[in-house]
Amino acid sequence: MDDSNTVVITGMGAVSPYGAGVAALWEGLSSRKNCIHTVKELEDLPMVNTKVAATVPETDYSFIPRKHRRSMSRMGLYAYCAAQEALRHAGYETAPEKLGFFMGSTLNSISVWMELAGYSQGAHLELIKTSDFLQIMNHSPLAAVCQALKINGPAMGGSEACATGLMNIGLGYMAIRQGLVEQAICGGTEEYHPMFSACFDIMQATSKNSNDNPAAACRPFDASRTGLVVSEGCGLVFMETKKSAQQRGVPILAEVLGFYANTDTDNMAYPSAETLRKCMAGALEAAHIKAEEVNLLNAHATGTVAGDIAETQAAHAVFGPSLKINSLKGHLGHTMGASGCLESIACVNMLTAQQILPTNNLTQVDERCAPLHYQTQVSNTPLNIIMKNSFAIGGNNCSLLFRRPQ
Amino acid sequence: MITREEIIKQTNEALKKEFEFTDEQLISTAQLRDDLGLDSLDAVDMVVVLEQKFGVTLRQGYDLRTIVTLNDLYDFIEKLARTHQ
């Protein structure tokens, strides 16, 4: 088989509520370490029902030169750390020539925007600094990391809310397959602000029954779930052609087999199982594989009532009842634009470890969710192919397939 | 009237906070661009923080090319502060 344009992953970088690094992410997920906590700002807002979130531990970022740091809000700082880790993991100390960079976020820094809004409301626009603007452009994290790490290939970012991270892996995959670039860093980044929780709360999509027990707040597929827990972080993967990786002699972590994306035009916020089914089926077709070859579906499953039902019904229609399925949002919360990539990194690690991580806080499957093999315990099992789903408010769906290196 | 010593002290405090300089870097003959590494974007932000610090408007008539060293900056602020008396 001609695999000259096969796309592989050779590096990964993560910043998550478990801290900086892929190792911290994997250790936290594997040990089911709790990272969800009460947020004081939410406690002070009586109209907001959810009081919990997951945030990246406080970190001193002064090791990043000020000249570059001035253009980075928190999500930019996360992206810098993740990109550097992904580069090093792929065997580079500095970015190779023409490296592509595909990354986005749901929103830009709400904190910095709030500061600017304060200047505007107080009629003190003269207080705006250039660094404020450099931090709140839609592509600020992308641009700032390119400047800092001298990434000089095409840099562009899809921004599709909760699907951003996986969409950008797909974008990078297509760019490599089409020959636009030979190597690219891809993923998503996001920083938490209580406004996120408040907005999802208004849409009745947040977890609200476990405020006194944050560790149990996010419960994908569980009968008692009430919604998602907002989180933050950055996930990035280093992708390249298999040929490039082989020429460089670096270990291949996983192959990207196929990608598909579609849009649900029925409703901005309520997913249609049929559109999700088409998305997953489209990914299988793009990868030229059969449903039965997929060993695990790492679901988007944020723990919302409607979303989990629609996704499992769609998965059942595509794969049948024997499908193994898990979600990592019970551990991590919903890292928004970073989720598709942080969870993809976990998928790659699951392939490497030949181990399926369970869904945290899943004690009783909602009977409205389709009958599937819900993973509730760590399972050591042969794993060859994992499908990863990410779906966004707005109806933007994508599915991507990872395979263990052949 | 604010003294030159006070102008130097307050300017240096603002620059240290904004640009993370150390006391050792802030010698009066230090050149803003070549020694302290401030670029054109930094220069804009420097104006913003110094305007806040001294309650004066620096951005009109401000020209980085005429302010090469920290001493030049102190002189400029001192002259402006006197004008505003």
Side-chain angles (χ1 to χ4, degrees):
Chain A
M1 179 183 141
D2 176 20
D3 61 3
S4 57
N5 65 349
T6 296
V7 178
V8 299
I9 292 174
T10 54
M12 304 191 290
V15 173
S16 75
Y18 290 127
V22 170
L25 173 67
W26 181 246
E27 198 275 333
L29 292 170
S30 304
S31 63
R32 298 198 192 198
K33 183 176 163 188
N34 177 48
C35 60
I36 297 171
H37 57 85
T38 305
V39 176
K40 175 151 191 331
E41 291 93 330
L42 295 177
E43 288 184 314
D44 293 341
L45 295 170
M47 295 299 286
V48 177
N49 296 298
T50 192
K51 306 295 179 189
V52 297
T55 49
V56 172
E58 285 293 318
T59 305
D60 179 6
Y61 293 98
S62 60
F63 63 90
I64 303 171
R66 184 196 66 81
K67 189 80 63 187
H68 301 304
R69 195 165 13 98
R70 71 179 173 186
S71 308
M72 297 174 182
S73 66
R74 286 203 332 275
M75 70 170 76
L77 299 169
Y78 303 160
Y80 175 93
C81 296
Q84 191 165 64
E85 183 186 15
L87 266 180
R88 287 177 176 160
H89 194 187
Y92 288 106
E93 274 308 308
T94 56
E97 278 295 307
K98 299 179 183 174
L99 177 66
F101 193 17
F102 302 91
M103 183 181 74
S105 59
T106 301
L107 300 173
N108 214 296
S109 174
I110 301 178
S111 301
V112 179
W113 267 116
M114 290 287 194
E115 205 175 314
L116 289 174
Y119 296 153
S120 173
Q121 285 172 352
H124 287 298
L125 290 171
E126 76 279 7
L127 298 180
I128 294 174
K129 290 189 277 190
T130 59
S131 52
D132 295 325
F133 183 69
L134 294 176
Q135 289 182 26
I136 48 93
M137 298 183 294
N138 284 344
H139 73 314
S140 283
L142 184 80
V145 173
C146 283
Q147 295 288 321
L149 298 178
K150 305 294 178 203
I151 296 172
N152 65 9
M156 51 187 86
S159 175
E160 299 83 16
C162 314
T164 298
L166 198 66
M167 283 285 195
N168 279 298
I169 297 179
L171 194 58
Y173 168 75
M174 292 187 289
I176 293 170
R177 295 265 296 181
Q178 293 295 318
L180 175 67
V181 289
E182 192 169 38
Q183 301 172 308
I185 292 180
C186 314
T189 188
E190 202 79 61
E191 67 181 62
Y192 178 74
H193 189 281
M195 191 67 77
F196 256 123
S197 300
C199 288
F200 280 100
D201 200 73
I202 286 167
M203 291 185 271
Q204 303 198 5
T206 54
S207 167
K208 45 183 82 69
N209 291 347
S210 291
N211 288 327
D212 54 350
N213 183 15
C218 189
R219 314 178 65 81
F221 314 122
D222 193 82
S224 66
R225 74 193 183 286
T226 53
L228 57 83
V229 170
V230 182
S231 178
E232 65 173 358
C234 178
L236 294 170
V237 291
F238 189 103
M239 298 162 70
E240 59 190 311
T241 60
K242 189 173 185 179
K243 184 178 167 194
S244 163
Q246 287 173 333
Q247 283 175 344
R248 297 196 305 116
V250 294
I252 292 171
L253 306 173
E255 292 178 10
V256 180
L257 283 186
F259 171 75
Y260 192 75
N262 67 5
T263 305
D264 186 342
T265 56
D266 290 341
N267 194 291
M268 284 288 279
Y270 289 92
S272 124
E274 176 57 13
T275 311
L276 302 184
R277 183 196 68 74
K278 286 178 181 169
C279 187
M280 289 184 252
L284 291 176
E285 191 178 339
H288 305 294
I289 64 166
K290 295 173 185 158
E292 55 265 33
E293 292 180 75
V294 175
N295 307 113
L296 175 71
L297 173 63
N298 181 243
H300 181 61
T302 62
T304 61
V305 174
D308 291 6
I309 292 171
E311 185 171 12
T312 58
Q313 287 175 345
H316 186 272
V318 174
F319 296 100
S322 61
L323 176 73
K324 292 177 179 170
I325 184 170
N326 70 352
S327 164
L328 299 175
K329 292 188 175 72
H331 302 71
L332 271 174
H334 190 346
T335 56
M336 298 284 140
S339 65
C341 194
L342 282 173
E343 293 163 18
S344 289
I345 289 168
C347 288
V348 172
N349 277 356
M350 284 191 274
L351 286 172
T352 303
Q354 294 289 283
Q355 183 181 82
I356 297 175
L357 296 179
T359 302
N360 209 20
N361 297 320
L362 175 54
T363 54
Q364 185 185 347
V365 176
D366 182 351
E367 60 185 21
R368 294 167 295 177
C369 289
L372 300 166
H373 278 252
Y374 293 92
Q375 304 294 294
T376 57
Q377 300 295 327
V378 171
S379 166
N380 293 306
T381 184
L383 276 176
N384 190 42
I385 296 176
I386 298 177
M387 178 180 279
K388 170 83 201 107
N389 281 344
S390 281
F391 310 136
I393 189 165
N396 313 95
N397 309 313
C398 58
S399 299
L400 190 140
L401 287 147
F402 296 104
R403 181 166 67 180
R404 192 184 185 199
Q406 301 299 292
Chain B
M1 190 180 87
I2 189 166
T3 64
R4 183 174 177 84
E5 287 68 32
E6 192 58 29
I7 286 172
I8 293 172
K9 185 179 165 215
Q10 289 192 30
T11 301
N12 288 359
E13 275 173 11
L15 296 181
K16 279 194 285 185
K17 186 177 173 198
E18 182 66 23
F19 302 115
E20 303 172 5
F21 293 133
T22 61
D23 286 323
E24 291 70 34
Q25 288 177 283
L26 296 178
I27 55 174
S28 59
T29 54
Q31 296 194 13
L32 299 180
R33 192 184 65 187
D34 295 341
D35 297 328
L36 298 176
L38 299 183
D39 62 16
S40 57
L41 294 170
D42 291 326
V44 174
D45 289 355
M46 181 178 77
V47 167
V48 174
V49 297
L50 291 176
E51 283 183 341
Q52 283 182 266
K53 194 80 173 173
F54 293 103
V56 294
T57 304
L58 295 172
R59 62 190 74 191
Q60 279 150 10
Y62 174 78
D63 186 350
L64 187 64
R65 287 169 299 183
T66 66
I67 299 174
V68 178
T69 67
L70 272 179
N71 246 336
D72 297 337
L73 182 63
Y74 303 145
D75 288 345
F76 182 75
I77 295 170
E78 188 176 12
K79 186 177 159 193
L80 211 61
R82 288 206 171 124
T83 311
H84 279 71
Q85 289 304 306

